[in-house]
Amino acid sequence: MIERISTAYYRLPLEPSGDAGHGSLDTEELVTVELAAEGLVGHGYAYTIGRGGRAVRALIDHDLAPLLVGQEAGDVDALWERMWRGLLYVGRGGLAAFAIAALDIALWDLRGLREGKPLVALAGGTARPIPAYGSGVDLPKPLDGLLRQVEGFLARGYPGVKVKIGREDFEEDVERVAAVRRLVGDGIDLMIDANMGWSLGQALERGGRLAEQNPYWLEEPIIPEDVPGHARLARELPMPIAIGESLHSPREFERYIAERALGVLQIDPVTNGGITPTLRVLEMANQASLPTSSHYTDELSAHLLCASTNPIYLEKHAFALDRYLERPQVVTDGKVRPTDDPGTGLRFDREALRPYAAD
Amino acid sequence: MIERISTAYYRLPLEPSGDAGHGSLDTEELVTVELAAEGLVGHGYAYTIGRGGRAVRALIDHDLAPLLVGQEAGDVDALWERMWRGLLYVGRGGLAAFAIAALDIALWDLRGLREGKPLVALAGGTARPIPAYGSGVDLPKPLDGLLRQVEGFLARGYPGVKVKIGREDFEEDVERVAAVRRLVGDGIDLMIDANMGWSLGQALERGGRLAEQNPYWLEEPIIPEDVPGHARLARELPMPIAIGESLHSPREFERYIAERALGVLQIDPVTNGGITPTLRVLEMANQASLPTSSHYTDELSAHLLCASTNPIYLEKHAFALDRYLERPQVVTDGKVRPTDDPGTGLRFDREALRPYAAD
């Protein structure tokens, strides 16, 4: 039986960053959850890129924890449905998905501790190495800073790198992507990410021009509400369209898959509403033979992508939480593996986090 | 310039209520906003049906107020965009829409005070009486209690009444709707509301059977994510399909209108993200010659529906805030009119609210 749920809130400084959709970024918010049941404690978290974290915490403390405390912890699917329905009026996506996710992750961790199995096994996957790519949030960086960041990714052995696009002057995007391609050569995969910054017309034209640099994928060219627009881009542009971090429920993924509006499905168990719905989404991707990747959540995604039949890449994110983890994720030969411990294997280093605790 | 934004939070008791989607309801949450600029104070609010209110307040206090304080108050469209973009990562609907709405409503109120015009005039409408219908949240009520509630609506002179459907045993829905029809006769409009409780197959079959009682509309038969499902219901059922309270942005309404998936468009300036996007939605309804109605927000909707070319009904909601307002909305001959004062005309009676203040 779930006996106690506690949360903590941290404001983690970022080196000045930014992208075409979310503007300038200087703070990452982290809400951690501990969920105690029968002598074990499951750990979960949600993050934001600077706003909404206190609201996520308020949802957990005031609205979701009362729905869980006193319930049996074992049937995670049923508890996820209970949370989803409990927040139906203010939920069905958006911020509610982040709050439900933090608790759902803790419930899966707890289940792993109880069964003595790592998340990858609970998820029905087989632990194996997944290629990782280095991912920058680098739209405001001048070109030389961008190239230095990419050199850092190469030095760490990543077989792929991602850069942001969507600068006010598109010719700068062209120049920057070309410079990165010259730097990395043809043997490295180069992803580009517009963070919803373009109109459909712009995406058609600009995607066509950037295709000259042979990008591995084009991520979030336009707003996620425009599924038919994505379908058209998927048909008319030569590179695959990647999307996922901005979708908050299996229903939203279902529509993208049904309309063949994406070429790479990116999971993020925090923004997608938890591990429970992410596993449903991965099953849908398997059925549709869709390649999968991840967004943020490096540690959890190393487990979850092993439940995919075609996991092409894990994102090693510029905002990764490694410096705040007891055991940072290990990258070997540009690949990561899920942890072997029971549960998610994710434990925060509270000493490292302490300076950033806030109310 | 916006100088100060303050909020308050109340937990208002409801008589035990419920519907097929949201279950049992016993508390309404109210978050009030006061926004001060140049000697004037604009008032706004958001509500929930029991969960998420503290998170709405946290978004306003910590994330949205800092985006507004110091800005010029006059260009409400630009301020709405600033809030929408500021919460893009955790927003694009859901709970963020409620928080943005509370501030947007205060900004429109302030604009009315500055220009000395009531909201209806700012919205481009002409003040006129709008028919109101009595709306119960009565799914758990036994049949005699339901009929007594409907008798109360008739006694107040409403030309229409709404009852909830979606009981576990559908035969009870049939019996209850038939009993209400016998009670009200053929001269009263009878709306029915399933609150997303049915599958598409159920909605097709059950909607067909309930058509025998000649309902004025069928509201929210299935989950709002299923737009093609709504389009099919709109084609195949004889009564109009009504939807709106669960849509959180003009983009979502746009899709419903484009796919002809609704017959009555219901506005709720709180759940729809504020007055700014609601006016865009009403303009879309006008372009599509769609009849309009409202959800909750009785006082604001009396203004906004006057900007519609075909406002068929205002909902007089069982949870209406009248008892907590300085001047409760007046119903005359079953109709309501927008207030004449500058702004929204909505001022909370803080004495009446005081017993329900919470942190």
Side-chain angles (χ1 to χ4, degrees):
Chain A
M1 199 181 75
I2 300 170
E3 288 139 23
R4 185 183 51 78
I5 292 170
S6 61
T7 57
Y9 170 69
Y10 304 94
R11 297 183 60 79
L12 308 176
L14 297 174
E15 74 162 307
S17 306
D19 68 47
H22 306 100
S24 296
L25 304 172
D26 59 14
T27 306
E28 171 180 25
E29 294 176 299
L30 175 68
V31 178
T32 62
V33 165
E34 295 188 8
L35 186 150
E38 290 148 40
L40 296 170
V41 177
H43 294 247
Y45 77 95
Y47 73 92
T48 82
I49 57 172
R51 294 198 184 97
R54 290 183 178 95
V56 169
R57 190 186 192 188
L59 278 181
I60 297 170
D61 287 348
H62 294 289
D63 301 303
L64 293 173
L67 291 175
L68 295 188
V69 170
Q71 303 289 312
E72 288 306 316
D75 188 346
V76 182
D77 271 358
L79 294 172
W80 187 89
E81 291 289 342
R82 187 174 167 83
M83 294 192 282
W84 183 262
R85 289 195 74 83
L87 291 187
L88 200 64
Y89 196 71
V90 295
R92 296 180 28 253
L95 196 130
F98 294 67
I100 293 170
L103 288 161
D104 180 80
I105 292 164
L107 287 166
W108 278 92
D109 186 42
L110 186 77
R111 194 183 145 198
L113 299 178
R114 287 162 69 132
E115 299 185 22
K117 290 180 185 163
L119 175 58
V120 58
L122 301 179
T126 305
R128 58 192 195 276
I130 309 277
Y133 73 89
S135 182
V137 185
D138 46 32
L139 193 66
K141 270 196 207 304
L143 180 57
D144 63 332
L146 174 67
L147 294 176
R148 276 202 305 276
Q149 182 174 59
V150 172
E151 281 169 352
F153 295 148
L154 297 179
R156 270 166 271 161
Y158 296 121
V161 299
K162 186 166 84 187
V163 300
K164 299 293 191 188
I165 53 174
R167 283 175 79 101
E168 213 165 292
D169 177 358
F170 174 63
E171 296 309 319
E172 294 179 9
D173 284 338
V174 174
E175 183 192 348
R176 290 158 69 89
V177 173
V180 172
R181 174 56 80 197
R182 279 194 301 274
L183 174 67
V184 303
D186 290 336
I188 295 287
D189 293 324
L190 170 54
M191 297 78 159
I192 53 178
D193 183 359
N195 288 96
M196 317 177 263
W198 291 338
S199 68
L200 178 57
Q202 288 174 328
L204 285 163
E205 188 198 328
R206 296 176 178 186
R209 274 197 63 195
L210 290 170
E212 293 166 16
Q213 300 303 332
N214 193 27
Y216 191 74
W217 72 52
L218 169 60
E219 184 169 336
E220 288 204 325
I222 59 175
I223 58 168
E225 286 86 347
D226 188 3
V227 185
H230 280 84
R232 187 166 166 205
L233 291 168
R235 281 194 308 272
E236 298 191 12
L237 290 177
M239 71 285 257
I241 304 299
I243 186 166
E245 72 190 67
S246 297
L247 307 184
H248 300 305
S249 77
R251 278 271 169 192
E252 295 181 49
F253 280 98
E254 190 172 48
R255 197 166 158 233
Y256 266 88
I257 294 171
E259 300 194 16
R260 298 177 179 279
L262 80 174
V264 176
L265 184 153
Q266 298 171 299
I267 59 163
D268 180 329
V270 171
T271 66
N272 301 163
I275 291 169
T276 300
T278 298
L279 289 175
R280 289 186 209 160
V281 167
L282 283 170
E283 177 57 28
M284 286 159 43
N286 288 345
Q287 294 294 327
S289 303
L290 262 178
T292 57
S293 182
S294 66
H295 174 255
Y296 201 91
T297 62
D298 316 29
E299 351 57 34
L300 299 173
S301 293
H303 291 273
L304 298 175
L305 286 177
C306 290
S308 168
T309 50
N310 190 11
I312 50 175
Y313 263 116
L314 179 137
E315 178 180 42
K316 199 66 203 162
H317 200 281
F319 302 167
L321 292 168
D322 288 313
R323 79 188 79 170
Y324 306 110
L325 298 183
E326 286 186 5
R327 292 191 308 168
Q329 190 171 52
V330 177
V331 182
T332 308
D333 297 332
K335 298 189 175 75
V336 297
R337 292 181 60 96
T339 47
D340 299 323
D341 293 335
T344 63
L346 180 133
R347 291 295 178 270
F348 289 103
D349 176 347
R350 299 287 168 175
E351 282 307 310
L353 284 174
R354 197 177 311 275
Y356 310 111
D359 287 326
Chain B
M1 198 181 79
I2 300 170
E3 288 138 23
R4 186 182 51 79
I5 292 170
S6 60
T7 57
Y9 170 69
Y10 303 94
R11 298 182 60 78
L12 308 176
L14 298 173
E15 73 163 307
S17 306
D19 69 47
H22 306 100
S24 297
L25 304 172
D26 59 14
T27 307
E28 172 179 21
E29 294 177 299
L30 176 69
V31 179
T32 63
V33 166
E34 294 188 8
L35 186 150
E38 290 149 41
L40 296 170
V41 178
H43 293 248
Y45 76 94
Y47 72 93
T48 82
I49 57 173
R51 294 197 185 97
R54 290 183 178 94
V56 169
R57 190 185 192 189
L59 278 180
I60 297 170
D61 287 348
H62 294 290
D63 301 303
L64 293 173
L67 291 175
L68 295 188
V69 170
Q71 302 289 310
E72 288 306 317
D75 189 347
V76 182
D77 271 359
L79 294 173
W80 188 88
E81 291 290 341
R82 188 173 165 84
M83 293 191 283
W84 184 263
R85 289 195 75 82
L87 291 187
L88 201 63
Y89 196 71
V90 294
R92 295 180 29 255
L95 196 129
F98 293 67
I100 293 171
L103 289 161
D104 180 80
I105 292 165
L107 287 166
W108 279 91
D109 186 42
L110 187 77
R111 192 183 145 198
L113 300 178
R114 288 162 68 132
E115 299 186 20
K117 290 180 184 163
L119 175 57
V120 58
L122 301 179
T126 304
R128 59 191 195 276
I130 309 275
Y133 73 89
S135 183
V137 185
D138 46 31
L139 194 65
K141 269 195 206 305
L143 180 57
D144 63 334
L146 174 67
L147 294 177
R148 277 201 306 277
Q149 181 173 61
V150 171
E151 282 169 351
F153 295 148
L154 297 178
R156 271 166 270 161
Y158 295 120
V161 299
K162 187 166 84 186
V163 300
K164 299 293 191 188
I165 52 174
R167 284 175 77 101
E168 211 164 293
D169 177 359
F170 174 64
E171 296 308 320
E172 295 179 7
D173 285 337
V174 174
E175 185 192 347
R176 289 158 69 89
V177 174
V180 172
R181 174 55 82 195
R182 280 195 300 275
L183 174 67
V184 303
D186 289 336
I188 295 288
D189 293 324
L190 170 54
M191 297 78 158
I192 53 178
D193 183 359
N195 288 96
M196 318 175 262
W198 291 338
S199 67
L200 178 58
Q202 288 174 326
L204 285 163
E205 188 196 328
R206 296 176 177 187
R209 274 196 63 196
L210 291 170
E212 294 166 16
Q213 300 302 333
N214 192 27
Y216 190 75
W217 71 51
L218 169 61
E219 184 169 337
E220 288 204 325
I222 58 175
I223 58 166
E225 286 85 347
D226 187 3
V227 186
H230 280 84
R232 187 167 165 203
L233 291 169
R235 280 193 309 272
E236 299 191 14
L237 290 177
M239 71 286 256
I241 304 299
I243 186 165
E245 72 190 69
S246 298
L247 306 184
H248 300 305
S249 77
R251 278 273 169 191
E252 294 181 51
F253 280 98
E254 191 173 47
R255 193 163 162 236
Y256 266 88
I257 294 171
E259 301 194 17
R260 298 175 179 280
L262 81 174
V264 176
L265 184 152
Q266 299 171 300
I267 59 162
D268 180 330
V270 171
T271 65
N272 301 161
I275 291 169
T276 300
T278 298
L279 290 175
R280 288 185 210 161
V281 167
L282 282 170
E283 178 56 30
M284 285 158 45
N286 288 345
Q287 294 293 329
S289 302
L290 262 178
T292 57
S293 182
S294 65
H295 174 255
Y296 200 91
T297 64
D298 316 30
E299 349 61 29
L300 300 173
S301 292
H303 291 273
L304 298 175
L305 286 177
C306 290
S308 168
T309 50
N310 190 11
I312 50 174
Y313 264 116
L314 179 137
E315 178 179 43
K316 199 64 204 162
H317 200 280
F319 302 167
L321 293 168
D322 288 313
R323 78 188 78 170
Y324 306 110
L325 298 184
E326 286 186 5
R327 291 190 311 168
Q329 190 172 51
V330 177
V331 182
T332 308
D333 298 332
K335 298 189 175 74
V336 297
R337 290 182 61 94
T339 48
D340 299 324
D341 292 338
T344 64
L346 181 135
R347 291 296 177 269
F348 289 103
D349 176 347
R350 298 288 167 176
E351 282 307 310
L353 283 173
R354 195 178 312 275
Y356 310 111
D359 287 326

